[in-house]
C-alpha cells in the first residue's frame, strides 16, 4: 500500500475549457441569455407597436422577463419574435386576456418569468467565488506549465513546505529471491535486514550498524531492485527518492526536502531510506567556480542529517550510483555511506540465474539456458529481463502459447543487432559481398585457435543497419585476456574487410563498425594494458566513467599521443596482414562457405565448422 504524505496531482484540465465554461456559466446565470427564445431572430419594437399588434389579434405568445417583453406575432403567415421594453402598464394583463390571437383557442398565451432571485449567499458564490476559483485554477495550471518548462517540480511558491513527494511504501513485495546472482551484495545486505528485524541483538553489545550503504555498479545490474528487496525482506517501510528530485528551482527547497525526508523516516523507524542516483546531489563540491548552490546546500543538509540521527534507532540509508568516482569524499567517510556494495555485471552462472528468475514469470517450454546465457556475455540484468520479454512477445507474434529457446535466441539478436528487417531488398551483388565479408570474420576466428568459435552467421539485414553479422560465443567465461587473445580478436575484426580485398579485389563501407571496434581494442592495448613493446607498463589513459561507457582521457604529452597513434596503427596493420594471409591460404573454404551462406542466409557455427574441417583433412 502506498501512503503519500503529500497531495496527489490534480487531474490536468485544459485551462481554456475552464475559462470558457466559466464565462458561459456567468452569462447564463446573469440572465443574459433568454432561454425561451434562443435560436430565433429577435426584432426590436416599441411599446406602441406591441399594443397595436395585440389589438389587431396578431400576437400568439408573450413572455415578460426582467423588464423586457418578448412576444411572437403572426404576420403574413409567418411568425416573428419581437422584443420591447416593459412599461408599468396596469392594463396590460386585461388587454392580453381580452385580445384575439391566431392561437387555436383564440387566446394569447402569456407568462411572466420572475427574475430568478437567488439567495444572496448563492449569488455571492456564483458571481464572485466561482469565477475566482476558475481564475485560480487557470493560474495554477499556467504556473505549473511554466515551472515544468523551467525544469522544476513540486509545488510552485510553496516556501513553507518542501513539497517533497515522499513515498513510504510499507508493503514492499520484492525479496532477495527476485534478485538473482549478486551473492556478495546479498550477503552484506542480509546483515542490515537482520539488524532491522532485531536491533536489540546489535545494540545489546553496543554495536551500531553502518548508517548507510552505497550500492555501486553499472546501470541495470539491479541496484534499485536489491534496495527494494532489503525493505521487502525486513518488512519495514521503504522511503524511495531519486537524487534529482532534490534539486529544485528554488534555492533551499532541496535542503528542506532532505529535512522532511529524515523527519518522516524518524517517525516511521525502523525503516529504509533509499536515495537512487545519489550522484545528482552528491557530486564533489570542489568543481571550480560557480558551483551549483542548490545542490551543495542539499548535500550539506544530507551530511548534517546523516550525522544527526541516532544509528541505533533503525533508520538505514541506502543509496545507489553508477558514478562512484564523482561522489563527494565527505559522503563516503565513516559514519555516512561507509559500506560500499559492489554490483557487477553478471557472469555466466549469474546470467543463467537471472534468466531463470525472469523466465518464471512467462510460460515457456524447456529452455536451454546455457545457450542463451553464453550468447549474452556482458549483458546486464535489465537487458536479460528485456530479452525474456522480447522472446515472450515474439512467441505471441508467432501465435504460440509458450516461449521456446529459439524465441530467446532470436530476441538476443534483436537486442544486440536490432530486429530483422523484413522486405529490405538487397541486390544479389551486395548479398555476395556481405556473405564473403561475414565468412571472412568467421574463418579468421575459426583458424586462430585462441579465438572463440563461431556460433552463428547470418546475412539477414537488421534494423540497426547491420547487413549481416557473425556471432561469436565464448565457451568458457574468460576473465583474463592475453595479448595474443586481443591481437587475434583484432585480426578477426579485420577478417571481413580482408575477405573483400582478397576475394573480390575491392572494399566496401561494410567494415565501418569493425574498424571502430578494432581501433578501440588496439588503443586500449597500447594505452591501458601495457601491451605495446615501446611503452612497457606506462599508463597513458585513464577511464573516467567505468560504469557508463568508459570514456577515457589521455594522461600523456601530445608527442606521446601522436606516437600512440603510430603504435595503434602498427598493431592493426599486423592483424590485418595476418587475416589476409589466413584467408588467401584457405580460399577454397571461403568460396564454399560463402556460397552456402548465400543460399541459406543463416547458418549455425556447426555447419560452418563442418565445411572448414572437410577442407582441412
Ligand atoms: P539499476 O538500478 O542497477 O540500474 P535496476 O534495479 O533498476 O537496475 O534493474 C532493472 C531491472 O533489471 C530490474 O527491475 C529487474 O527486472 C532486472 N534485473 C537487474 N538485475 C537483476 C538481477 N540480479 N536479478 C533479477 N533481475 C534483475
Ligand atoms: Mg536504478
Ligand atoms: Zn564486419
Amino acid at each position: 500500500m502506498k501512503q503519500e504524505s503529500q497531495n496527489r496531482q490534480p487531474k490536468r484540465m485544459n485551462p481554456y475549457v475552464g475559462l470558457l465554461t466559466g464565462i458561459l456559466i456567468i452569462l447564463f446565470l446573469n440572465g443574459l441569455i433568454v432561454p425561451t427564445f434562443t435560436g430565433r431572430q429577435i426584432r426590436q419594437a416599441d411599446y406602441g407597436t406591441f399594443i397595436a399588434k395585440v389589438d389587431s389579434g396578431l400576437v400568439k405568445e408573450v413572455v415578460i422577463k426582467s423588464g423586457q417583453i418578448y412576444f411572437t406575432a403572426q404576420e403574413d403567415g409567418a411568425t416573428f419574435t419581437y422584443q420591447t421594453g416593459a412599461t408599468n402598464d396596469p392594463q396590460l394583463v386585461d388587454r392580453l386576456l381580452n385580445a384575439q390571437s391566431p392561437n387555436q383557442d383564440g387566446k394569447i398565451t402569456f407568462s411572466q418569468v420572475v427574475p430568478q432571485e437567488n439567495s444572496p449567499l448563492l449569488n455571492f458564490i456564483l458571481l464572485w467565488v466561482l469565477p475566482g476559483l476558475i481564475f485560480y485554477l487557470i493560474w495554477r495550471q499556467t504556473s505549473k506549465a511554466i515551472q515544468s518548462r523551467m525544469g522544476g517540480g513540486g509545488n510552485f511558491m510553496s516556501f513553507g513546505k518542501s513539497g517533497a513527494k515522499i513515498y513510504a511504501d510499507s508493503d514492499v513485495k520484492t525479496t532477495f529471491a527476485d534478485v538473482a546472482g549478486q551473492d556478495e551484495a546479498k550477503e552484506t545486505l542480509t546483515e542490515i535486514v537482520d539488524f532491522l528485524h532485531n536491533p536489540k541483538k546489535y545494540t545489546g553489545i553496543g554495536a551500531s550498524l553502518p548508517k548507510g550503504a552505497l550500492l555501486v555498479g553499472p546501470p541495470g545490474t539491479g541496484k534499485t531492485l536489491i534496495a527494494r528487496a532489503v525493505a521487502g525482506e525486513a518488512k519495514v517501510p521503504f522511503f524511495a527518492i531519486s537524487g534529482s528530485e532534490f534539486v529544485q528551482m528554488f534555492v533551499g527547497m532541496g535542503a528542506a526536502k532532505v529535512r522532511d525526508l529524515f523527519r518522516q523516516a524518524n517517525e516511521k523507524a525502523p525503516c529504509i531510506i533509499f536515495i537512487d542516483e545519489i550522484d545528482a546531489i552528491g557530486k564533489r563540491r570542489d568543481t571550480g567556480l560557480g558551483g551549483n548552490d542548490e545542490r551543495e546546500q542539499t548535500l550539506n543538509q544530507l551530511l548534517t542529517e546523516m550525522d544527526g540521527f541516532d544509528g541505533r534507532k533503525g533508520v538505514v540509508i541506502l543509496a545507489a550510483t553508477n558514478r562512484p568516482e564523482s561522489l563527494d569524499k565527505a559522503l563516503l567517510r565513516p559514519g555516512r555511506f561507509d559500506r560500499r556494495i559492489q554490483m557487477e555485471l553478471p557472469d555466466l552462472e549469474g546470467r543463467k540465474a537471472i534468466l531463470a528468475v525472469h523466465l518464471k514469470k512467462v510460460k515457456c517450454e524447456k529452455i536451454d539456458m546455457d545457450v542463451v546465457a553464453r550468447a549474452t556475455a556482458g549483458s546486464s540484468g535489465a537487458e536479460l529481463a528485456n530479452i525474456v520479454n522480447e522472446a515472450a512477445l515474439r512467441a505471441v507474434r508467432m501465435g504460440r502459447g509458450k516461449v521456446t529457446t529459439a524465441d530467446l535466441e532470436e530476441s538476443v539478436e534483436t537486442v544486440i543487432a536490432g530486429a530483422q528487417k523484413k522486405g529490405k531488398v538487397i541486390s544479389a551483388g551486395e548479398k555476395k559481398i556481405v556473405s564473403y565479408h561475414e565468412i571472412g570474420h568467421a574463418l579468421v576466428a575459426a583458424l586462430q585457435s585462441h579465438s572463440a568459435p563461431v556460433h552463428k552467421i547470418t546475412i539477414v539485414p537488421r534494423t540497426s543497419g547491420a547487413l549481416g553479422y557473425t556471432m561469436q560465443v565464448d565457451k568458457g567465461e574468460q576473465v583474463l585476456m592475453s595479448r595474443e587473445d586481443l591481437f587475434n580478436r583484432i585480426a578477426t575484426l579485420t577478417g571481413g574487410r580482408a575477405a573483400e580485398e582478397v576475394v573480390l579485389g575491392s572494399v566496401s563501407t561494410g567494415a565501418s563498425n569493425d574498424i571502430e571496434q578494432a581501433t578501440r581494442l588496439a588503443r586500449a592495448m597500447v594505452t591501458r594494458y601495457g601491451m605495446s613493446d615501446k611503452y612497457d607498463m606506462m599508463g597513458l589513459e585513464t577511464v573516467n566513467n567505468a560504469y557508463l561507457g568508459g570514456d577515457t582521457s589521455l594522461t600523456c604529452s601530445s608527442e606521446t599521443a601522436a606516437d600512440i597513434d603510430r603504435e595503434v596503427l602498427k598493431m592493426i596493420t599486423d592483424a590485418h596482414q595476418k587475416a589476409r594471409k589466413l584467408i588467401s591460404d584457405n580460399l577454397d573454404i571461403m568460396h564454399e562457405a560463402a556460397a552456402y551462406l548465400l543460399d541459406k542466409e543463416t547458418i549455425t557455427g556447426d555447419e560452418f565448422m563442418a565445411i572448414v574441417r572437410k577442407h582441412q583433412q
Side-chain angles (χ1 to χ4, degrees):
M1 198 190 65
K2 290 223 165 110
Q3 298 168 344
E4 227 171 295
S5 64
Q6 261 281 326
N7 56 330
R8 247 168 227 289
Q9 289 250 328
K11 249 197 179 153
R12 294 266 151 134
M13 99 175 173
N14 188 334
Y16 299 107
V17 176
L19 184 63
L20 210 67
T21 332
I23 290 171
L24 280 178
I25 290 173
I26 295 167
L27 288 180
F28 184 81
L29 292 169
N30 287 319
L32 291 178
I33 292 171
V34 183
T36 327
F37 293 107
T38 42
R40 290 190 223 161
Q41 203 198 350
I42 298 179
R43 303 174 170 198
Q44 296 293 323
D46 56 43
Y47 196 70
T49 319
F50 167 56
I51 296 297
K53 286 195 199 290
V54 171
D55 288 346
S56 344
L58 296 171
V59 175
K60 292 167 79 175
E61 189 185 0
V62 176
V63 175
I64 302 168
K65 181 174 186 288
S66 32
Q68 296 287 314
I69 297 174
Y70 299 89
F71 65 97
T72 57
Q74 186 152 358
E75 289 160 314
D76 311 328
T79 307
F80 297 100
T81 304
Y82 295 92
Q83 178 189 18
T84 182
T87 53
N88 203 358
D89 181 354
Q91 277 136 42
L92 180 61
V93 176
D94 282 340
R95 198 188 284 271
L96 291 176
L97 277 174
N98 296 329
Q100 296 287 313
S101 159
N103 283 341
Q104 268 174 357
D105 56 357
K107 295 244 156 65
I108 299 175
T109 37
F110 74 95
S111 59
Q112 176 154 22
V113 178
V114 181
Q116 264 186 354
E117 273 302 325
N118 295 322
S119 77
L121 181 68
L122 196 63
N123 257 343
F124 175 73
I125 291 175
L126 291 176
L127 293 177
W128 295 101
V129 180
L130 195 69
L133 199 71
I134 289 163
F135 282 114
Y136 168 72
L137 283 177
I138 294 167
W139 172 77
R140 228 176 57 159
Q141 292 294 331
T142 334
S143 58
K144 257 198 199 135
I146 292 170
Q147 197 191 14
S148 65
R149 217 166 296 151
M150 292 172 86
N155 279 355
F156 195 52
M157 294 221 169
S158 56
F159 290 107
K161 259 193 172 166
S162 72
K165 199 179 73 192
I166 301 170
Y167 288 106
D169 200 339
S170 49
D171 190 20
V172 180
K173 289 276 189 293
T174 317
T175 65
F176 280 155
D178 296 314
V179 189
Q182 308 294 5
D183 292 329
E184 298 80 8
K186 278 194 218 167
E187 207 177 292
T188 315
L189 290 168
T190 308
E191 201 182 12
I192 291 180
V193 172
D194 192 43
F195 170 72
L196 289 167
H197 267 312
N198 191 1
K200 288 218 181 65
K201 192 165 110 191
Y202 291 83
T203 52
I205 56 166
S208 59
L209 234 79
K211 287 181 186 174
L214 187 65
L215 298 158
V216 174
T221 42
K223 298 184 295 295
T224 310
L225 185 72
I226 208 167
R228 288 189 71 80
V230 172
E233 290 281 336
K235 300 195 177 52
V236 296
F238 181 65
F239 289 89
I241 190 162
S242 166
S244 60
E245 280 174 55
F246 286 116
V247 185
Q248 294 268 327
M249 191 165 89
F250 293 106
V251 176
M253 293 278 280
K257 242 180 202 186
V258 172
R259 266 196 301 276
D260 251 23
L261 176 65
F262 278 84
R263 187 180 44 72
Q264 291 186 33
N266 256 323
E267 285 163 11
K268 286 239 164 73
C271 66
I272 290 173
I273 297 177
F274 176 51
I275 306 174
D276 210 351
E277 317 289 349
I278 196 174
D279 42 283
I281 50 166
K283 243 182 261 155
R284 235 177 283 143
R285 282 169 293 184
D286 59 4
T287 40
L289 292 168
N292 185 340
D293 259 359
E294 167 65 346
R295 218 199 59 226
E296 285 188 11
Q297 284 196 21
T298 310
L299 175 58
N300 283 333
Q301 188 66 38
L302 180 65
L303 297 175
T304 317
E305 292 287 347
M306 286 195 78
D307 284 344
F309 77 83
D310 185 358
R312 271 168 284 187
K313 214 171 158 189
V315 180
V316 172
I317 309 169
L318 299 178
T321 182
N322 35 39
R323 309 182 50 194
E325 69 286 341
S326 77
L327 289 182
D328 198 291
K329 290 285 167 287
L331 263 180
L332 305 175
R333 78 139 169 76
R336 290 175 184 147
F337 292 107
D338 48 2
R339 283 246 171 138
R340 189 171 165 133
I341 298 170
Q342 204 78 30
M343 306 281 287
E344 291 300 346
L345 287 174
D347 57 9
L348 185 63
E349 289 308 313
R351 291 198 298 277
K352 275 190 210 167
I354 293 172
L355 284 170
V357 164
H358 289 280
L359 280 168
K360 237 186 263 159
K361 298 176 198 157
V362 298
K363 287 206 184 101
C364 54
E365 284 172 4
K366 183 130 182 51
I367 302 285
D368 189 345
M369 221 73 101
D370 200 58
V371 171
V372 187
R374 278 185 200 288
T376 47
S379 297
S380 68
E383 281 166 324
L384 292 169
N386 186 22
I387 284 168
V388 170
N389 191 49
E390 283 287 335
L393 290 176
R394 182 174 186 264
V396 174
R397 227 178 294 134
M398 308 292 249
R400 269 186 275 107
K402 283 187 173 164
V403 175
T404 62
T405 308
D407 288 331
L408 281 163
E409 284 188 285
E410 175 59 31
S411 74
V412 169
E413 285 174 48
T414 306
V415 171
I416 293 173
Q420 286 194 0
K421 206 159 180 176
K422 295 270 158 56
K424 169 148 180 137
V425 186
I426 295 179
S427 69
E430 280 173 327
K431 262 194 175 160
K432 194 174 145 200
I433 297 173
V434 177
S435 298
Y436 275 109
H437 181 106
E438 297 305 333
I439 293 293
H441 285 305
L443 185 60
V444 175
L447 293 177
Q448 302 177 119
S449 51
H450 289 294
S451 277
V454 183
H455 179 66
K456 184 173 179 175
I457 312 165
T458 171
I459 54 168
V460 179
R462 296 271 157 179
T463 47
S464 66
L467 294 175
Y469 66 89
T470 304
M471 203 165 144
Q472 284 178 270
V473 172
D474 294 291
K475 270 279 180 275
E477 196 103 35
Q478 222 172 345
V479 186
L480 286 177
M481 300 274 278
S482 69
R483 189 189 154 135
E484 285 68 40
D485 292 335
L486 290 173
F487 182 77
N488 287 347
R489 205 165 259 219
I490 297 175
T492 301
L493 284 165
T494 60
R497 167 61 66 88
E500 290 178 42
E501 288 168 325
V502 173
V503 179
L504 306 167
S506 74
V507 296
S508 74
T509 53
S512 61
N513 186 35
D514 302 333
I515 291 171
E516 218 177 292
Q517 284 192 44
T519 311
R520 199 174 326 132
L521 213 58
R523 227 187 147 72
M525 286 173 73
V526 177
T527 60
R528 277 158 51 204
Y529 303 143
M531 288 178 178
S532 65
D533 303 324
K534 195 157 178 183
Y535 288 106
D536 199 42
M537 279 184 64
M538 181 177 177
L540 300 167
E541 242 179 28
T542 51
V543 181
N544 298 331
N545 286 321
Y547 296 133
L548 298 172
D551 52 328
T552 53
S553 44
L554 282 173
T555 55
C556 55
S557 71
S558 49
E559 284 107 87
T560 317
D563 200 45
I564 290 171
D565 291 340
R566 280 188 281 278
E567 284 290 305
V568 171
L569 177 62
K570 190 165 148 277
M571 185 101 65
I572 295 175
T573 316
D574 288 350
H576 192 172
Q577 191 56 45
K578 180 182 180 191
R580 259 196 301 252
K581 179 158 185 346
L582 283 172
I583 287 171
S584 30
D585 287 351
N586 293 279
L587 271 179
D588 42 351
I589 304 182
M590 278 303 293
H591 290 306
E592 186 176 342
Y596 188 70
L597 176 62
L598 198 56
D599 181 40
K600 297 261 165 133
E601 297 210 330
T602 300
I603 64 174
T604 65
D606 291 337
E607 287 173 289
F608 174 71
M609 286 314 285
I611 297 173
V612 174
R613 290 209 188 89
K614 197 173 79 189
H615 284 274
Q616 279 180 336
Q617 275 159 12

